[in-house]
Amino acid sequence: MSADLAVIGLGYVGLPLAQEASRAGLSVLGFDVSTTVVEGLNAGRSHVDDLTDDDIAAIRAAGFRASTDESDLDDTDTIIICVPTPLSEDGGPDLDAVMAAVATVSRHIGRGNLVVLESTTYPGTTDEVVRPMLEESGLVAGSDFHLAFSPERIDPGNAQFGMRNTPKVIGGQTRACTERAAAFYRRFVDTVVEARGTREAETAKLLENTYRHVNIALVNEMARFCHELGIDLWDVIRLAKSKPFGFQAFYPGPGVGGHCIPIDPNYLSHNVRSRLGYPFRFVELAQEINATMPTYVAQRVQNLLNVDGKAVNGSTVLLLGVTYKPDIADQRESPAVPVARRLLALGANLVFHDPRVQQWHVDDNVLECVPDLETALTRADLSVVLQGHAEYDGDLIAKSSPRVFDTRGITPKSDTVEHM
Ligand SMILES: NC(=O)c1ccc[n+]([C@@H]2O[C@H](COP(=O)([O-])OP(=O)(O)OC[C@H]3O[C@@H](n4cnc5c(N)ncnc54)[C@H](O)[C@@H]3O)[C@@H](O)[C@H]2O)c1
């Protein structure tokens, strides 16, 4: 099948890309190894938050088709790889999916193709891993085909910034590769930012996520001592952010989740350690602080129940919002799981509510979302706000639950409502 663009990996990143390219009039083929994903899409079903079934219908009407048959890649002009880059068992980069996808591409690459890697990865991947594998085809990067890295910046659930209006960083293997890739993306992205090369583009993505990780750790550490000192950190942040320059607000929470913030900085710290032999101390410290937050939340729950003369053991604790960020259904790496694990270990009668999650798995425990939020709030000994979904009415939570611990600052503080 001939296509202007083949997107490899049809997930949170690949599908919005396919959608935007399709809207711009490009013919788009989607390739994925998962038959469930491909069959679902071809039947008109979306499996990611940012696209509805209607969106899938619209791109299908514009010619989009998903496939598990790699021979479909034979006659495509541009191929963009958006497969997962998780961590291996030892906490280092796991490039298995990237290498499998690149091996697939190298079997079908043709003269004049443009290949772009979008998966988040450590500096050097495009040049040291992707390029040699593609050149096994007998074609040479920079002369026979173009190769570039362009980090994905998608922010699931963000209503303001999507694929089109988020500037796209592009770093090519050669200057001509950068220019070719930039010209391609300009067809459906408003602003393209050219990097010096692939390594700079790879590292820019890691800097962005490490910056978030470190700043979240900073406020999480402050949350602990501000509580001890009787200082309202939320008010402190409100005041600091009135400065119109030099400060960006970050907020505390029960830990970091998703598959970017807790994972991507490891790609950088692992790379620094393995290549240079010394640690990237900011990342390691941020990890240490953020990883202890779920236990800290459980401790605060324990202390609050204690105020009412109750033990965690036997108390009904209602967790509100178990996804890793507000207004999406994605639960990957959500800190709600370690919070729940800790409370269950202490003997809590754990219940949960999330407008986007019906059934929640915590290790071997399968929990069903409570049927009625207000009743559950009234019945709980304590409610913990873990995620500030738009559906949550802070006043209702504060008014209905006998005691509240709010890690997101969405409720009005009172004698019975404590903030992180
Ligand atoms: N989700 C985000 O918010 C986000 C944001 C920025 C960057 N990223 C990065 O983008 C990359 C993709 O993330 P995602 O969230 O879209 O992942 P995802 O898990 O939602 O989707 C990945 C898809 O790739 C498919 N896949 C795996 N191996 C494959 C192969 N060899 N060939 C073809 N398909 C294959 C999977 O079946 C899956 O459908 C990762 O590197 C991630 O770090 C993600």
Tab-separated table of all heavy atoms in Angstrom, residues 8-15 31-34 37 47-48 81-86 96-102 104 118-121 151-156 205 209 259-260 263-264 324-325 330 332, ligand 1:
chain	number	residue	atom	x	y	z
A	8	ILE	N	4.716	4.009	13.036
A	8	ILE	CA	4.963	2.707	13.674
A	8	ILE	C	4.761	2.844	15.175
A	8	ILE	O	5.475	3.606	15.830
A	8	ILE	CB	6.394	2.236	13.374
A	8	ILE	CG1	6.608	2.302	11.876
A	8	ILE	CG2	6.667	0.872	13.987
A	8	ILE	CD1	7.325	1.174	11.280
A	9	GLY	N	3.777	2.140	15.722
A	9	GLY	CA	3.434	2.257	17.142
A	9	GLY	C	2.255	3.198	17.286
A	9	GLY	O	2.403	4.414	17.208
A	10	LEU	N	1.052	2.612	17.459
A	10	LEU	CA	-0.175	3.425	17.427
A	10	LEU	C	-0.722	3.638	18.838
A	10	LEU	O	-1.816	3.184	19.173
A	10	LEU	CB	-1.211	2.749	16.528
A	10	LEU	CG	-0.730	2.540	15.085
A	10	LEU	CD1	-1.705	1.662	14.316
A	10	LEU	CD2	-0.542	3.883	14.377
A	11	GLY	N	0.058	4.327	19.671
A	11	GLY	CA	-0.369	4.571	21.048
A	11	GLY	C	-0.652	6.038	21.293
A	11	GLY	O	-1.108	6.762	20.406
A	12	TYR	N	-0.362	6.464	22.528
A	12	TYR	CA	-0.636	7.841	22.948
A	12	TYR	C	0.080	8.863	22.069
A	12	TYR	O	-0.373	9.996	21.941
A	12	TYR	CB	-0.201	8.032	24.410
A	12	TYR	CG	-1.216	7.493	25.375
A	12	TYR	CD1	-1.201	6.155	25.755
A	12	TYR	CD2	-2.218	8.313	25.879
A	12	TYR	CE1	-2.151	5.653	26.628
A	12	TYR	CE2	-3.175	7.812	26.745
A	12	TYR	CZ	-3.135	6.488	27.123
A	12	TYR	OH	-4.085	6.004	27.973
A	13	VAL	N	1.219	8.477	21.500
A	13	VAL	CA	1.994	9.387	20.662
A	13	VAL	C	1.673	9.176	19.179
A	13	VAL	O	1.420	10.130	18.445
A	13	VAL	CB	3.504	9.185	20.942
A	13	VAL	CG1	4.352	9.870	19.889
A	13	VAL	CG2	3.845	9.723	22.327
A	14	GLY	N	1.681	7.934	18.748
A	14	GLY	CA	1.506	7.638	17.328
A	14	GLY	C	0.147	8.036	16.774
A	14	GLY	O	0.054	8.564	15.658
A	15	LEU	N	-0.909	7.842	17.562
A	15	LEU	CA	-2.247	8.130	17.023
A	15	LEU	C	-2.509	9.626	16.807
A	15	LEU	O	-3.004	10.004	15.738
A	15	LEU	CB	-3.325	7.521	17.917
A	15	LEU	CG	-3.752	6.102	17.547
A	15	LEU	CD1	-4.898	5.654	18.445
A	15	LEU	CD2	-4.191	6.000	16.085
A	31	PHE	N	1.110	1.222	11.553
A	31	PHE	CA	1.603	-0.147	11.725
A	31	PHE	C	1.816	-0.407	13.207
A	31	PHE	O	2.416	0.412	13.913
A	31	PHE	CB	2.931	-0.332	10.966
A	31	PHE	CG	3.565	-1.668	11.214
A	31	PHE	CD1	3.133	-2.796	10.528
A	31	PHE	CD2	4.568	-1.811	12.162
A	31	PHE	CE1	3.699	-4.047	10.780
A	31	PHE	CE2	5.142	-3.059	12.419
A	31	PHE	CZ	4.703	-4.176	11.715
A	32	ASP	N	1.317	-1.544	13.689
A	32	ASP	CA	1.514	-1.896	15.098
A	32	ASP	C	1.622	-3.420	15.189
A	32	ASP	O	1.017	-4.137	14.392
A	32	ASP	CB	0.334	-1.402	15.942
A	32	ASP	CG	0.701	-1.232	17.413
A	32	ASP	OD1	0.936	-2.260	18.080
A	32	ASP	OD2	0.752	-0.080	17.885
A	33	VAL	N	2.384	-3.895	16.190
A	33	VAL	CA	2.503	-5.347	16.360
A	33	VAL	C	1.297	-5.927	17.114
A	33	VAL	O	1.118	-7.140	17.148
A	33	VAL	CB	3.806	-5.729	17.109
A	33	VAL	CG1	5.007	-5.565	16.207
A	33	VAL	CG2	3.979	-4.938	18.398
A	34	SER	N	0.509	-5.065	17.726
A	34	SER	CA	-0.631	-5.551	18.502
A	34	SER	C	-1.870	-5.705	17.623
A	34	SER	O	-2.400	-4.721	17.096
A	34	SER	CB	-0.923	-4.578	19.656
A	34	SER	OG	-2.224	-4.787	20.145
A	37	VAL	N	-4.832	-3.708	19.017
A	37	VAL	CA	-4.813	-2.287	18.667
A	37	VAL	C	-5.261	-2.087	17.220
A	37	VAL	O	-6.138	-1.269	16.923
A	37	VAL	CB	-3.389	-1.703	18.900
A	37	VAL	CG1	-3.207	-0.365	18.208
A	37	VAL	CG2	-3.109	-1.576	20.399
A	47	HIS	N	-8.315	3.752	21.555
A	47	HIS	CA	-7.891	3.238	22.862
A	47	HIS	C	-7.029	4.261	23.601
A	47	HIS	O	-6.396	3.941	24.593
A	47	HIS	CB	-7.131	1.912	22.690
A	47	HIS	CG	-5.898	2.049	21.846
A	47	HIS	ND1	-5.948	2.179	20.480
A	47	HIS	CD2	-4.599	2.118	22.177
A	47	HIS	CE1	-4.718	2.311	20.011
A	47	HIS	NE2	-3.884	2.280	21.015
A	48	VAL	N	-6.978	5.511	23.116
A	48	VAL	CA	-6.221	6.540	23.845
A	48	VAL	C	-7.158	7.697	24.199
A	48	VAL	O	-8.160	7.932	23.518
A	48	VAL	CB	-4.988	7.059	23.043
A	48	VAL	CG1	-4.059	5.922	22.664
A	48	VAL	CG2	-5.395	7.857	21.821
A	81	ILE	N	8.747	6.443	13.905
A	81	ILE	CA	8.702	5.384	14.922
A	81	ILE	C	8.307	5.972	16.286
A	81	ILE	O	8.976	6.867	16.803
A	81	ILE	CB	10.079	4.684	15.026
A	81	ILE	CG1	10.444	4.067	13.666
A	81	ILE	CG2	10.096	3.640	16.138
A	81	ILE	CD1	11.884	3.577	13.567
A	82	CYS	N	7.195	5.473	16.851
A	82	CYS	CA	6.667	5.980	18.134
A	82	CYS	C	6.386	4.806	19.069
A	82	CYS	O	5.267	4.657	19.564
A	82	CYS	CB	5.355	6.723	17.930
A	82	CYS	SG	5.354	7.952	16.638
A	83	VAL	N	7.354	3.950	19.275
A	83	VAL	CA	7.128	2.766	20.110
A	83	VAL	C	7.610	3.041	21.536
A	83	VAL	O	8.361	3.990	21.766
A	83	VAL	CB	7.828	1.521	19.507
A	83	VAL	CG1	7.246	1.188	18.144
A	83	VAL	CG2	9.330	1.727	19.419
A	84	PRO	N	7.194	2.234	22.501
A	84	PRO	CA	7.544	2.524	23.896
A	84	PRO	C	9.028	2.353	24.195
A	84	PRO	O	9.700	1.520	23.579
A	84	PRO	CB	6.743	1.486	24.694
A	84	PRO	CG	5.833	0.821	23.748
A	84	PRO	CD	6.347	1.035	22.378
A	85	THR	N	9.495	3.147	25.161
A	85	THR	CA	10.874	3.020	25.638
A	85	THR	C	10.832	2.924	27.167
A	85	THR	O	11.037	3.916	27.857
A	85	THR	CB	11.732	4.226	25.199
A	85	THR	OG1	10.958	5.430	25.328
A	85	THR	CG2	12.202	4.097	23.776
A	86	PRO	N	10.542	1.732	27.684
A	86	PRO	CA	10.440	1.572	29.146
A	86	PRO	C	11.820	1.378	29.787
A	86	PRO	O	12.848	1.561	29.131
A	86	PRO	CB	9.587	0.311	29.281
A	86	PRO	CG	9.831	-0.466	28.031
A	86	PRO	CD	10.210	0.517	26.964
A	96	ASP	N	14.281	-2.551	23.413
A	96	ASP	CA	13.819	-3.708	22.624
A	96	ASP	C	12.785	-3.318	21.562
A	96	ASP	O	12.886	-3.730	20.403
A	96	ASP	CB	13.199	-4.780	23.534
A	96	ASP	CG	14.277	-5.555	24.279
A	96	ASP	OD1	15.484	-5.265	24.056
A	96	ASP	OD2	13.918	-6.416	25.108
A	97	ALA	N	11.786	-2.503	21.971
A	97	ALA	CA	10.723	-2.145	21.013
A	97	ALA	C	11.291	-1.271	19.894
A	97	ALA	O	10.931	-1.435	18.724
A	97	ALA	CB	9.570	-1.442	21.729
A	98	VAL	N	12.186	-0.340	20.265
A	98	VAL	CA	12.792	0.528	19.240
A	98	VAL	C	13.578	-0.334	18.258
A	98	VAL	O	13.446	-0.186	17.033
A	98	VAL	CB	13.717	1.593	19.889
A	98	VAL	CG1	14.566	2.296	18.838
A	98	VAL	CG2	12.892	2.613	20.667
A	99	MET	N	14.369	-1.260	18.786
A	99	MET	CA	15.192	-2.087	17.884
A	99	MET	C	14.333	-2.996	17.011
A	99	MET	O	14.628	-3.177	15.826
A	99	MET	CB	16.216	-2.866	18.689
A	99	MET	CG	17.203	-1.900	19.328
A	99	MET	SD	18.787	-2.589	19.659
A	99	MET	CE	18.486	-3.521	21.077
A	100	ALA	N	13.249	-3.512	17.590
A	100	ALA	CA	12.355	-4.358	16.778
A	100	ALA	C	11.718	-3.520	15.666
A	100	ALA	O	11.627	-3.964	14.505
A	100	ALA	CB	11.270	-4.976	17.665
A	101	ALA	N	11.305	-2.297	16.012
A	101	ALA	CA	10.668	-1.439	15.003
A	101	ALA	C	11.675	-1.037	13.922
A	101	ALA	O	11.349	-1.036	12.726
A	101	ALA	CB	10.078	-0.192	15.676
A	102	VAL	N	12.915	-0.726	14.335
A	102	VAL	CA	13.933	-0.320	13.355
A	102	VAL	C	14.276	-1.511	12.440
A	102	VAL	O	14.463	-1.346	11.226
A	102	VAL	CB	15.199	0.226	14.065
A	102	VAL	CG1	16.300	0.517	13.064
A	102	VAL	CG2	14.864	1.494	14.846
A	104	THR	N	12.261	-3.822	11.570
A	104	THR	CA	11.144	-3.894	10.612
A	104	THR	C	11.344	-2.873	9.495
A	104	THR	O	11.232	-3.196	8.301
A	104	THR	CB	9.797	-3.605	11.335
A	104	THR	OG1	9.673	-4.491	12.432
A	104	THR	CG2	8.618	-3.769	10.397
A	118	GLU	N	10.759	9.055	17.158
A	118	GLU	CA	10.145	10.007	18.101
A	118	GLU	C	10.194	9.494	19.538
A	118	GLU	O	9.970	10.257	20.471
A	118	GLU	CB	8.687	10.283	17.715
A	118	GLU	CG	8.528	11.158	16.486
A	118	GLU	CD	7.246	11.990	16.511
A	118	GLU	OE1	6.515	11.946	17.513
A	118	GLU	OE2	6.989	12.680	15.508
A	119	SER	N	10.429	8.186	19.726
A	119	SER	CA	10.437	7.627	21.082
A	119	SER	C	11.510	8.306	21.924
A	119	SER	O	12.625	8.533	21.450
A	119	SER	CB	10.750	6.131	21.030
A	119	SER	OG	9.822	5.452	20.225
A	120	THR	N	11.179	8.595	23.160
A	120	THR	CA	12.135	9.209	24.083
A	120	THR	C	13.277	8.233	24.340
A	120	THR	O	13.040	7.065	24.633
A	120	THR	CB	11.421	9.515	25.415
A	120	THR	OG1	10.272	10.282	25.128
A	120	THR	CG2	12.330	10.256	26.366
A	121	THR	N	14.518	8.727	24.243
A	121	THR	CA	15.643	7.813	24.432
A	121	THR	C	16.913	8.553	24.827
A	121	THR	O	16.920	9.785	24.896
A	121	THR	CB	15.855	6.975	23.152
A	121	THR	OG1	16.847	5.988	23.425
A	121	THR	CG2	16.281	7.835	21.967
A	151	PRO	N	11.740	14.583	19.203
A	151	PRO	CA	11.081	14.122	20.431
A	151	PRO	C	9.602	14.475	20.463
A	151	PRO	O	9.220	15.580	20.074
A	151	PRO	CB	11.828	14.890	21.533
A	151	PRO	CG	12.424	16.082	20.866
A	151	PRO	CD	12.703	15.663	19.456
A	152	GLU	N	8.822	13.522	20.895
A	152	GLU	CA	7.386	13.753	21.036
A	152	GLU	C	7.144	14.559	22.307
A	152	GLU	O	7.747	14.313	23.335
A	152	GLU	CB	6.649	12.406	21.089
A	152	GLU	CG	5.167	12.557	21.191
A	152	GLU	CD	4.639	13.641	20.285
A	152	GLU	OE1	4.857	13.589	19.056
A	152	GLU	OE2	4.009	14.571	20.818
A	153	ARG	N	6.269	15.559	22.227
A	153	ARG	CA	5.989	16.379	23.407
A	153	ARG	C	4.523	16.307	23.797
A	153	ARG	O	4.027	17.203	24.477
A	153	ARG	CB	6.336	17.834	23.099
A	153	ARG	CG	7.813	18.086	23.058
A	153	ARG	CD	8.076	19.473	22.541
A	153	ARG	NE	9.334	19.996	23.015
A	153	ARG	CZ	9.844	21.153	22.603
A	153	ARG	NH1	9.196	21.875	21.712
A	153	ARG	NH2	10.986	21.581	23.077
A	154	ILE	N	3.863	15.275	23.346
A	154	ILE	CA	2.418	15.201	23.580
A	154	ILE	C	2.107	15.237	25.081
A	154	ILE	O	2.836	14.662	25.881
A	154	ILE	CB	1.851	13.936	22.899
A	154	ILE	CG1	0.402	14.103	22.558
A	154	ILE	CG2	2.057	12.688	23.724
A	154	ILE	CD1	0.183	14.268	21.101
A	155	ASP	N	1.053	15.923	25.438
A	155	ASP	CA	0.649	16.033	26.838
A	155	ASP	C	-0.800	15.574	26.931
A	155	ASP	O	-1.728	16.378	26.810
A	155	ASP	CB	0.796	17.505	27.283
A	155	ASP	CG	0.469	17.681	28.753
A	155	ASP	OD1	0.461	16.679	29.493
A	155	ASP	OD2	0.196	18.826	29.168
A	156	PRO	N	-1.017	14.260	27.125
A	156	PRO	CA	-2.386	13.743	27.095
A	156	PRO	C	-3.301	14.518	28.040
A	156	PRO	O	-2.923	14.826	29.163
A	156	PRO	CB	-2.228	12.292	27.557
A	156	PRO	CG	-0.823	11.944	27.214
A	156	PRO	CD	-0.037	13.199	27.408
A	205	LYS	N	14.772	16.638	24.987
A	205	LYS	CA	13.606	15.971	25.562
A	205	LYS	C	13.901	15.523	27.002
A	205	LYS	O	13.069	15.669	27.898
A	205	LYS	CB	13.239	14.757	24.693
A	205	LYS	CG	12.196	13.838	25.282
A	205	LYS	CD	10.828	14.453	25.254
A	205	LYS	CE	9.820	13.595	25.982
A	205	LYS	NZ	8.501	14.179	26.007
A	209	ASN	N	12.033	16.772	30.656
A	209	ASN	CA	11.402	15.901	31.645
A	209	ASN	C	12.178	15.859	32.963
A	209	ASN	O	11.579	15.731	34.027
A	209	ASN	CB	11.210	14.487	31.076
A	209	ASN	CG	10.007	14.447	30.145
A	209	ASN	OD1	9.285	15.427	30.026
A	209	ASN	ND2	9.795	13.335	29.477
A	259	HIS	N	4.462	7.497	32.057
A	259	HIS	CA	5.668	6.803	31.665
A	259	HIS	C	6.688	7.762	31.070
A	259	HIS	O	7.515	7.394	30.269
A	259	HIS	CB	5.381	5.560	30.815
A	259	HIS	CG	5.121	5.870	29.394
A	259	HIS	ND1	5.453	5.028	28.376
A	259	HIS	CD2	4.589	6.948	28.851
A	259	HIS	CE1	5.111	5.598	27.250
A	259	HIS	NE2	4.592	6.756	27.512
A	260	CYS	N	6.627	9.017	31.510
A	260	CYS	CA	7.676	9.958	31.112
A	260	CYS	C	8.491	10.395	32.324
A	260	CYS	O	9.666	10.084	32.416
A	260	CYS	CB	7.058	11.182	30.443
A	260	CYS	SG	6.463	10.826	28.794
A	263	ILE	N	10.432	7.846	34.319
A	263	ILE	CA	11.273	6.954	33.519
A	263	ILE	C	12.357	7.689	32.738
A	263	ILE	O	13.533	7.325	32.797
A	263	ILE	CB	10.380	6.110	32.579
A	263	ILE	CG1	9.574	5.126	33.441
A	263	ILE	CG2	11.208	5.367	31.532
A	263	ILE	CD1	8.580	4.303	32.703
A	264	ASP	N	11.983	8.738	32.026
A	264	ASP	CA	12.936	9.377	31.108
A	264	ASP	C	14.233	9.855	31.776
A	264	ASP	O	15.316	9.670	31.203
A	264	ASP	CB	12.287	10.554	30.376
A	264	ASP	CG	11.096	10.110	29.537
A	264	ASP	OD1	10.917	8.884	29.388
A	264	ASP	OD2	10.360	10.972	29.051
A	324	TYR	N	-2.552	8.780	36.766
A	324	TYR	CA	-1.308	9.478	37.103
A	324	TYR	C	-1.374	10.979	36.894
A	324	TYR	O	-0.541	11.722	37.395
A	324	TYR	CB	-0.107	8.869	36.370
A	324	TYR	CG	0.117	9.355	34.958
A	324	TYR	CD1	0.846	10.518	34.709
A	324	TYR	CD2	-0.372	8.643	33.864
A	324	TYR	CE1	1.055	10.959	33.412
A	324	TYR	CE2	-0.161	9.077	32.576
A	324	TYR	CZ	0.546	10.229	32.354
A	324	TYR	OH	0.760	10.672	31.081
A	325	LYS	N	-2.371	11.443	36.128
A	325	LYS	CA	-2.564	12.874	36.008
A	325	LYS	C	-4.043	13.166	35.854
A	325	LYS	O	-4.827	12.245	35.583
A	325	LYS	CB	-1.714	13.470	34.871
A	325	LYS	CG	-2.071	12.997	33.480
A	325	LYS	CD	-1.032	13.453	32.490
A	325	LYS	CE	-1.170	14.915	32.166
A	325	LYS	NZ	-0.359	15.322	31.006
A	330	ASP	N	-5.277	7.163	31.976
A	330	ASP	CA	-4.012	6.418	31.980
A	330	ASP	C	-3.513	6.179	33.415
A	330	ASP	O	-3.328	7.122	34.179
A	330	ASP	CB	-2.983	7.247	31.191
A	330	ASP	CG	-1.754	6.463	30.805
A	330	ASP	OD1	-1.522	5.384	31.399
A	330	ASP	OD2	-1.019	6.925	29.914
A	332	ARG	N	-0.664	4.293	34.091
A	332	ARG	CA	0.704	3.789	34.093
A	332	ARG	C	1.576	4.469	35.163
A	332	ARG	O	1.614	5.690	35.234
A	332	ARG	CB	1.341	3.972	32.715
A	332	ARG	CG	0.767	3.012	31.691
A	332	ARG	CD	1.384	3.206	30.336
A	332	ARG	NE	0.990	4.462	29.725
A	332	ARG	CZ	1.351	4.835	28.494
A	332	ARG	NH1	2.123	4.048	27.779
A	332	ARG	NH2	0.952	5.977	28.000
B	1	LIG	N1	2.394	9.070	26.340
B	1	LIG	C1	2.989	10.235	26.449
B	1	LIG	O1	2.451	11.141	27.091
B	1	LIG	C2	4.337	10.513	25.823
B	1	LIG	C3	4.747	11.853	25.732
B	1	LIG	C4	5.985	12.133	25.129
B	1	LIG	C5	6.787	11.088	24.693
B	1	LIG	N2	6.375	9.788	24.822
B	1	LIG	C6	7.265	8.742	24.296
B	1	LIG	O2	6.736	8.236	23.070
B	1	LIG	C7	7.030	6.841	22.951
B	1	LIG	C8	5.731	6.057	22.735
B	1	LIG	O3	4.892	6.226	23.891
B	1	LIG	P1	3.336	5.932	23.876
B	1	LIG	O4	2.801	6.558	25.129
B	1	LIG	O5	2.727	6.323	22.580
B	1	LIG	O6	3.313	4.330	24.008
B	1	LIG	P2	2.037	3.363	23.901
B	1	LIG	O7	2.348	2.202	24.756
B	1	LIG	O8	0.787	4.147	24.121
B	1	LIG	O9	2.022	2.904	22.358
B	1	LIG	C9	3.059	2.252	21.774
B	1	LIG	C10	2.521	1.320	20.700
B	1	LIG	O10	3.664	0.738	20.044
B	1	LIG	C11	3.356	-0.596	19.714
B	1	LIG	N3	4.588	-1.337	19.494
B	1	LIG	C12	5.461	-1.860	20.381
B	1	LIG	N4	6.487	-2.436	19.755
B	1	LIG	C13	6.279	-2.280	18.429
B	1	LIG	C14	6.996	-2.655	17.260
B	1	LIG	N5	8.147	-3.298	17.345
B	1	LIG	N6	6.480	-2.348	16.057
B	1	LIG	C15	5.302	-1.684	15.979
B	1	LIG	N7	4.581	-1.302	17.038
B	1	LIG	C16	5.073	-1.593	18.245
B	1	LIG	C17	2.536	-1.078	20.894
B	1	LIG	O11	1.768	-2.212	20.551
B	1	LIG	C18	1.681	0.166	21.223
B	1	LIG	O12	0.453	0.138	20.542
B	1	LIG	C19	7.804	6.467	24.196
B	1	LIG	O13	9.172	6.559	23.938
B	1	LIG	C20	7.403	7.551	25.195
B	1	LIG	O14	8.395	7.734	26.188
B	1	LIG	C21	5.149	9.489	25.360
